[in-house]
Amino acid sequence: MEPDWPLIGVRFALYAVLAGLFGLSTFSLYGLIGGERGSALALRPWLVVSAGFALLLSLFSIVLMASAMAGTPLWPIDQATIMALLTGSAIGAAWMVRITALLLALIAAVFAADRGAWLAFIALASGVALASLAWTGHGAMDEGATGWLHLAADILHLVAAGVWVGALLGLILLVSRPTARVDAAHLKMTHRALHGFGTIGTIVVGTIVVTGLVNGWLIVGIGNVGWLGATIYGRLLLAKLALFLLMLGLASLNRYMLTPALEASIAGADHRGALGALRASLAVEITCVVTILALVAWLGTLEPPRSPM
């Protein structure tokens, strides 16, 4: 079966935008303080554009899903199928929750994106929107207690990944400031944000690993691991795991070598080399993230591997 590229593309964009919206708002809460959120990151434009774009993508996604279900063209829009999807399925209910959460996040971002309490509200609303994507993938394929376990693992996996994605985006924005605008205060803030994510990152990685193992057990099954390389699903999954391991290595490099090097460079008033190394490492890491999200979007449209009878 040929890949459904429009659906995969919209799924990828939703994963990326919602993870960025949730993760960046979360990062701004634990990594920055007060006025830094506006001066260091231009937070409001990022959050407003992300929430608005996620709304547009969500509207397009429901049209795509209805078209795929009914076997009809995208235009004219099949309103009857869309209404049936919204009122008669868990996917439709999750979509309406996402739209509501994004509208609330957008309103809050427009009026008060850099205030702590409102920023926490944006993080909560965008986290709900991100979690709703669990109903559009394999997390919703089981029933009963197994189904709830699968959904819970998928939601935690999405949320933890969102924290990581948003932290990378925030850190990239911090270290990418033009050299002429980098002063001692900005360097200290950047080091504090890097150090702060070190502790959060340990929790994030642990959550991703545990929930990934649960999802793998429920989707693929231990008995089918040997057949991963024989299917497109399995090969994509192995590529995702390889990129995740590369990200773990880069995260360890950042935490144990590059962040201490930045601290030392601040004391020595020679930060160019340390910032350059951080920029390169974070750029590779964000490239891995984008590729992983694209693989996840594709994987969600494929049947898991099964051993031949």
Side-chain angles (χ1 to χ4, degrees):
M1 184 176 66
E2 287 295 318
D4 188 344
W5 294 118
L7 180 59
I8 293 170
V10 170
R11 285 171 59 85
F12 162 67
L14 271 172
Y15 280 127
V17 174
L18 287 176
L21 175 62
F22 167 68
L24 188 59
S25 55
T26 304
F27 171 77
S28 299
L29 283 170
Y30 68 78
L32 302 174
I33 55 176
E36 294 174 351
R37 295 162 185 154
S39 61
L41 293 183
L43 188 59
R44 180 173 297 177
W46 275 100
L47 297 184
V48 169
V49 171
S50 296
F53 191 34
L55 275 168
L56 291 176
L57 287 168
S58 295
L59 291 171
F60 188 41
S61 71
I62 200 70
V63 175
L64 273 176
M65 285 189 287
S67 173
M69 283 180 59
T72 56
L74 288 176
W75 188 264
I77 294 174
D78 189 344
Q79 297 182 24
T81 303
I82 289 176
M83 287 304 300
L85 189 60
L86 292 179
T87 58
S89 70
I91 290 177
W95 183 88
M96 288 189 286
V97 168
R98 187 189 317 146
I99 290 292
T100 303
L102 286 172
L103 283 171
L104 292 173
L106 177 60
I107 293 169
V110 168
F111 292 104
D114 54 353
R115 300 178 189 174
W118 282 102
L119 189 56
F121 177 81
I122 295 170
L124 176 62
S126 57
V128 169
L130 178 62
S132 72
L133 295 179
W135 275 265
T136 66
H138 293 118
M141 72 181 193
D142 296 311
E143 297 180 353
T146 301
W148 287 111
L149 173 64
H150 200 166
L151 270 175
D154 221 12
I155 288 170
L156 287 173
H157 200 75
L158 284 166
V159 169
V163 172
W164 198 344
V165 171
L168 287 176
L169 177 57
L171 292 171
I172 280 284
L173 292 173
L174 289 177
V175 302
S176 297
R177 174 175 284 199
T179 304
R181 296 177 54 208
V182 174
D183 55 17
H186 182 79
L187 289 171
K188 290 178 181 177
M189 175 181 61
T190 301
H191 176 265
R192 188 182 73 241
L194 283 162
H195 185 72
F197 181 63
T199 302
I200 299 293
T202 301
I203 299 172
V204 164
V205 169
T207 302
I208 289 176
V209 169
V210 172
T211 55
L213 289 172
V214 172
N215 283 338
W217 170 52
L218 292 172
I219 296 173
V220 177
I222 297 175
N224 295 306
V225 171
W227 298 98
L228 284 177
T231 64
I232 183 64
Y233 183 100
R235 290 192 288 272
L236 293 176
L237 180 59
L238 291 173
K240 175 193 170 186
L241 292 175
L243 288 170
F244 175 69
L245 291 175
L246 176 58
M247 286 183 64
L248 281 183
L250 290 169
S252 297
L253 176 68
N254 292 342
R255 180 174 183 180
Y256 296 110
M257 294 185 65
L258 300 185
T259 298
L262 177 64
E263 184 178 23
S265 75
I266 295 172
D270 182 18
H271 58 266
R272 289 178 181 268
L275 270 182
L278 271 169
R279 287 168 183 160
S281 177
L282 289 170
V284 175
E285 202 169 342
I286 203 74
T287 301
C288 290
V289 162
V290 170
T291 307
I292 286 174
L293 291 177
L295 293 174
V296 169
W298 192 352
L299 282 165
T301 66
L302 298 173
E303 285 293 325
R306 291 290 181 263
S307 59
M309 300 299 292

